[in-house]
Amino acid sequence: MYKRQKQDLAEDAAQVQFLFISVDGARDTPDMMSAYAARFDPEFLVMQGSEPTLSQISADYNLFYTLNTDEGENYSVDHTTPSYLIDPEGRLAVIYSFSAEPADITESIRAHLAS
Protein backbone atom coordinates (compact mmCIF):
# COMPACT_ATOMS: atom_id res chain seq x y z
CA MET A 1 0.00 0.00 0.00
CA TYR A 2 2.63 2.58 0.98
CA LYS A 3 4.72 2.07 -2.11
CA ARG A 4 1.61 2.71 -4.17
CA GLN A 5 0.86 5.93 -2.30
CA LYS A 6 4.34 7.21 -3.02
CA GLN A 7 4.03 6.30 -6.70
CA ASP A 8 0.56 7.84 -6.97
CA LEU A 9 1.70 11.04 -5.30
CA ALA A 10 4.35 11.42 -8.02
CA GLU A 11 6.22 14.72 -7.52
CA ASP A 12 4.17 15.47 -4.38
CA ALA A 13 5.82 12.46 -2.71
CA ALA A 14 8.93 14.57 -2.14
CA GLN A 15 6.92 16.41 0.54
CA VAL A 16 6.02 13.21 2.42
CA GLN A 17 8.20 11.06 4.68
CA PHE A 18 7.04 7.47 5.08
CA LEU A 19 7.88 5.87 8.41
CA PHE A 20 7.40 2.42 9.92
CA ILE A 21 7.53 2.06 13.71
CA SER A 22 7.99 -1.36 15.29
CA VAL A 23 6.20 -2.28 18.50
CA ASP A 24 8.59 -5.22 19.00
CA GLY A 25 11.95 -3.59 19.56
CA ALA A 26 13.37 -6.77 21.10
CA ARG A 27 13.19 -8.67 17.81
CA ASP A 28 12.96 -5.92 15.22
CA THR A 29 16.57 -4.86 15.05
CA PRO A 30 17.60 -1.85 12.95
CA ASP A 31 18.95 -4.17 10.24
CA MET A 32 15.73 -6.20 10.14
CA MET A 33 13.60 -3.06 10.01
CA SER A 34 15.72 -1.54 7.23
CA ALA A 35 15.38 -4.73 5.18
CA TYR A 36 11.61 -4.69 5.76
CA ALA A 37 11.24 -1.06 4.67
CA ALA A 38 13.47 -1.62 1.64
CA ARG A 39 10.85 -4.05 0.31
CA PHE A 40 8.60 -1.00 -0.03
CA ASP A 41 11.09 1.76 -0.82
CA PRO A 42 14.69 2.33 0.31
CA GLU A 43 13.82 5.92 1.26
CA PHE A 44 11.22 4.84 3.83
CA LEU A 45 12.35 5.35 7.41
CA VAL A 46 12.09 2.81 10.20
CA MET A 47 12.16 3.18 13.97
CA GLN A 48 11.95 0.94 16.99
CA GLY A 49 9.32 2.05 19.46
CA SER A 50 10.51 1.66 23.03
CA GLU A 51 8.00 0.49 25.64
CA PRO A 52 7.96 3.86 27.48
CA THR A 53 7.43 5.82 24.25
CA LEU A 54 4.77 3.46 22.94
CA SER A 55 2.94 3.62 26.27
CA GLN A 56 3.08 7.41 26.20
CA ILE A 57 1.62 7.75 22.69
CA SER A 58 -0.81 4.82 22.72
CA ALA A 59 -3.81 6.89 23.83
CA ASP A 60 -3.15 9.64 21.26
CA TYR A 61 -2.98 7.16 18.39
CA ASN A 62 -5.44 4.58 19.69
CA LEU A 63 -2.52 2.15 19.59
CA PHE A 64 -2.94 -1.35 20.92
CA TYR A 65 -0.39 -4.11 20.77
CA THR A 66 0.39 -7.36 22.55
CA LEU A 67 3.59 -9.35 22.28
CA ASN A 68 2.47 -12.95 22.75
CA THR A 69 5.79 -14.01 24.28
CA ASP A 70 4.14 -16.99 26.00
CA GLU A 71 4.13 -18.64 22.55
CA GLY A 72 7.90 -19.04 22.66
CA GLU A 73 10.72 -17.69 20.52
CA ASN A 74 8.61 -17.24 17.37
CA TYR A 75 5.77 -15.43 19.14
CA SER A 76 3.12 -13.48 17.29
CA VAL A 77 2.35 -9.80 17.76
CA ASP A 78 -1.20 -8.49 17.79
CA HIS A 79 -1.49 -4.79 16.96
CA THR A 80 -3.77 -2.16 15.56
CA THR A 81 -3.44 -1.56 11.84
CA PRO A 82 -4.19 2.07 11.03
CA SER A 83 -1.81 4.40 9.25
CA TYR A 84 -1.36 7.97 10.36
CA LEU A 85 -0.78 11.26 8.60
CA ILE A 86 1.23 13.64 10.76
CA ASP A 87 1.39 17.28 9.69
CA PRO A 88 4.68 19.24 9.45
CA GLU A 89 4.14 20.57 12.99
CA GLY A 90 4.01 17.01 14.35
CA ARG A 91 0.24 16.94 14.90
CA LEU A 92 -1.95 13.99 14.06
CA ALA A 93 -3.93 15.02 10.98
CA VAL A 94 -5.68 11.81 9.85
CA ILE A 95 -6.01 8.21 10.92
CA TYR A 96 -6.52 5.86 7.97
CA SER A 97 -8.15 2.51 8.65
CA PHE A 98 -6.58 -0.65 7.29
CA SER A 99 -9.53 -0.96 4.90
CA ALA A 100 -9.19 2.56 3.48
CA GLU A 101 -8.98 2.68 -0.29
CA PRO A 102 -5.47 3.54 -1.51
CA ALA A 103 -6.79 6.20 -3.90
CA ASP A 104 -8.68 7.85 -1.03
CA ILE A 105 -5.52 7.95 1.07
CA THR A 106 -3.56 9.49 -1.78
CA GLU A 107 -6.21 12.18 -2.32
CA SER A 108 -6.33 12.90 1.41
CA ILE A 109 -2.56 13.34 1.54
CA ARG A 110 -2.70 15.65 -1.50
CA ALA A 111 -5.43 17.72 0.15
CA HIS A 112 -3.34 18.13 3.29
CA LEU A 113 -0.28 19.09 1.26
CA ALA A 114 -2.32 21.77 -0.51
CA SER A 115 -3.71 23.27 2.70
Side-chain angles (χ1 to χ4, degrees):
M1 175 164 96
Y2 310 104
K3 184 176 183 176
R4 179 174 174 182
Q5 260 64 61
K6 185 174 178 183
Q7 290 170 341
D8 290 349
L9 285 166
E11 64 276 353
D12 290 335
Q15 300 177 62
V16 178
Q17 180 60 66
F18 292 85
L19 169 68
F20 294 104
I21 300 175
S22 170
V23 296
D24 188 6
R27 288 192 307 184
D28 293 339
T29 65
D31 287 342
M32 288 177 67
M33 291 294 295
S34 293
Y36 176 77
R39 288 187 261 165
F40 294 91
D41 188 294
E43 293 181 1
F44 287 4
L45 296 180
V46 293
M47 296 176 74
Q48 291 174 297
S50 68
E51 179 61 36
T53 300
L54 293 170
S55 293
Q56 183 179 359
I57 67 169
S58 63
D60 294 337
Y61 293 89
N62 200 21
L63 173 65
F64 165 82
Y65 66 96
T66 301
L67 308 178
N68 298 302
T69 56
D70 59 326
E71 296 174 352
E73 182 179 329
N74 294 316
Y75 59 88
S76 62
V77 178
D78 299 323
H79 59 84
T80 50
T81 58
S83 297
Y84 308 94
L85 180 63
I86 310 299
D87 73 14
E89 287 76 40
R91 297 180 302 233
L92 177 61
V94 180
I95 299 175
Y96 302 109
S97 73
F98 182 74
S99 62
E101 291 294 325
D104 294 339
I105 294 172
T106 300
E107 289 312 308
S108 171
I109 293 170
R110 275 205 179 99
H112 278 84
L113 292 173
S115 63

